[in-house]
Each structure stands twice: as structure tokens, then as C-alpha cells.
Amino acid sequence: MKGRLLNYVESFCWYDKSLNRSIVLQNYNNALNEARKIGDQVFCPQTMYDPENRDVIFQFMWINGYQSFGELKLHFEWLRVDDFQLLHTISYSLGQPTPNSSNDWEDFEEEFSEENKSLIGLKIDDCLNPLVYDEDTHREFHSNYVATFDLDRQKTHYEYFIKHYKPSLKLESGRIENLIRRNQVNNQIIRLDSPTTSPNGNPIHGQQIHIHIMVNGNECALNIDGSWKHPPNNVTSDRIPVEICSTLSHWGFVLPEDCY
């Protein structure tokens, strides 16, 4: 069964005329071309067809030859001839509104349940691989995306982050150990421990990478998935210091829920 792609052209943020979109436009066009090679259908969220959105989103995409390159260049200084020609091509192949009311990925997933679904959506600041062909690559797409979140974005999008993040170290364990050993991080971070493994390399007794830290004067150990290996004396009131939260998040640790 062929895939269905949900297409977010609104992520191009057309109302910001100074924003250079050349590379993103090329990536977007490549994604459309690759998707069509395998026969994927392209749909747009229903909200993108509302009158109040049309002027903002399609003023630049659905040009249909009514404005010349020179006329557009006056408003969008970053525009190149190649971009102009590409916009003409894309404007005719944006896809149709979804049959029902899909406006985001969850709606789309529900509408096309059990099908080989895909997603196109490029953002200027984080252009990840925009093609998602099946359930595994869907998970990978979102997992890779949330792995770019700093602590503030994790807090803002907590449920989304927790749902998709796969806990793993973002720095090599040896580098983290050196930072701790050389006192280049908060001195309440004591050491990093890797789990004991069996001969085939699997962790014994479900152990995880964990970090030993001081919390309210007591040594505790936090697993990389945010669970406590050795909890504080009072889990409800003893909190990890903010500076340590930031460091652990940067290293790839999930934090206890009360830290978000």
C-alpha cells in the first residue's frame, strides 16, 4: 500500500520576508520528488485551506505566473532565479486537503490508521530528514527531533518529549568522566557508572547508565531514563539543583518529572 504524506508548507513562515529559504526549498522539493517516486499521495492539513491562512501561506507558493521574478525579488531579497522557478513547480503540486479534518500528525495518523503513512514538514532551524515511510521511521523521525531539545524546550513540550525521546548519552562516557574528574562541572556530580554487562553485551538485571549526584546533602543515583536507582531520602521534597538538571539534560539524561 502506498504512503500518504502530510505536508506543512506553513512551516516555511512566509510572513517573514527576510528569512532565506533557498536551502529549505531545495530540501522540500527533493522530499516531494522522492515521495512521488514510490507513489505516495500528498495531503495538506485542512486548516491550511482556511481563508485567513491562504493569504499568508500561499501568497508566495501559489504565484501561478502572476508576478515576475523581478517583482517578487523586490519583496524577498534572498530569492534566486532557481528558487523562483522551483516555487512555480511546487505551487502546482502541494497536494489536496485531507478528506476529513487532519490538522496535525496525530489526526492524520488516526485518519489513515494502519496505512504506510509519511510526513513532510521542514522548519528553518531544524531541517531533519523529512520523509517518514513506516512506523519505525516515524518513531525515528520524532526521536531524532526531540533529541535536539534543550532543557527549556523539553519543559515546554514535555509530553511530546517524554513520548518520543530514547534516552542515550549525547557525549561519550569517557568525556563525561573526564569532566567530572577534572572538576569542570558542578562538584555535586560525583561519577558516571555504566551497567555491568553479560558476555553477550546485554546489561545484567536491567541495569542502566546512571549518574551519582548529591541531592540535599545525600548521595543519590539517577538512571538515564529519569528513574531513581538510589533515590533521595525524601523523593517528594528533595530536588536536583537547577544547574545539575541543565548539565544532565545536556548529557542526554531524562530528569525526574518534578524537574520539568
Side-chain angles (χ1 to χ4, degrees), residues 40-244:
D40 278 353
Q41 294 177 270
V42 179
F43 292 97
C44 295
Q46 287 280 353
T47 54
M48 288 172 54
Y49 287 83
D50 291 347
E52 60 268 25
N53 291 333
R54 187 183 299 275
D55 289 341
V56 174
I57 299 166
F58 295 145
Q59 65 170 325
F60 201 28
M61 295 290 278
W62 286 45
I63 49 181
N64 293 324
Y66 294 121
Q67 289 180 291
S68 68
F69 170 73
E71 289 171 326
L72 278 178
K73 180 76 172 178
L74 290 175
H75 299 286
F76 302 93
E77 294 182 0
W78 56 271
L79 188 70
R80 304 176 308 178
V81 173
D82 290 348
D83 301 324
F84 178 75
Q85 293 172 342
L86 180 56
L87 287 168
H88 272 276
T89 303
I90 292 176
S91 68
Y92 290 103
S93 57
L94 287 177
Q96 300 298 318
T98 58
N100 296 326
S101 59
S102 300
N103 293 316
D104 56 34
W105 176 258
E106 289 186 358
D107 288 345
F108 191 70
E109 187 174 35
E110 182 176 352
E111 182 173 342
F112 300 112
S113 178
E114 305 304 323
E115 292 194 23
N116 177 24
K117 300 169 291 292
S118 305
L119 167 68
I120 291 179
L122 297 174
K123 296 186 177 181
I124 300 301
D125 56 347
D126 39 41
C127 294
L128 298 168
N129 176 8
L131 293 181
V132 177
Y133 289 118
D134 51 33
E135 186 175 356
D136 289 338
T137 53
H138 168 245
R139 269 199 230 90
E140 183 181 2
F141 175 91
H142 290 284
S143 176
N144 290 339
Y145 180 48
V146 298
T148 68
F149 287 9
D150 59 17
L151 183 56
D152 287 339
R153 292 186 74 187
Q154 292 174 15
K155 291 178 179 179
T156 303
H157 306 286
Y158 174 72
E159 291 185 3
Y160 175 62
F161 169 73
I162 290 297
K163 178 179 180 180
H164 294 287
Y165 181 60
K166 296 178 182 177
S168 62
L169 291 180
K170 296 180 181 179
L171 295 180
E172 293 181 357
S173 58
R175 186 177 173 189
I176 293 175
E177 290 163 358
N178 283 335
L179 290 172
I180 298 171
R181 189 181 306 114
R182 295 174 182 175
N183 296 317
Q184 293 178 327
V185 293
N186 189 296
N187 60 12
Q188 294 183 75
I189 300 177
I190 301 171
R191 72 175 189 274
L192 178 75
D193 285 346
S194 297
T196 303
T197 58
S198 63
N200 62 9
N202 293 324
I204 296 176
H205 304 309
Q207 294 183 62
Q208 301 181 45
I209 295 171
H210 54 277
I211 192 89
H212 287 256
I213 56 178
M214 297 297 293
V215 179
N216 200 21
N218 297 297
E219 182 175 342
C220 308
L222 182 71
N223 289 319
I224 195 168
D225 70 353
S227 62
W228 288 108
K229 181 177 177 66
H230 302 302
N233 290 340
N234 192 330
V235 177
T236 58
S237 62
D238 292 344
R239 302 290 176 85
I240 301 174
V242 173
E243 180 184 346
I244 295 179

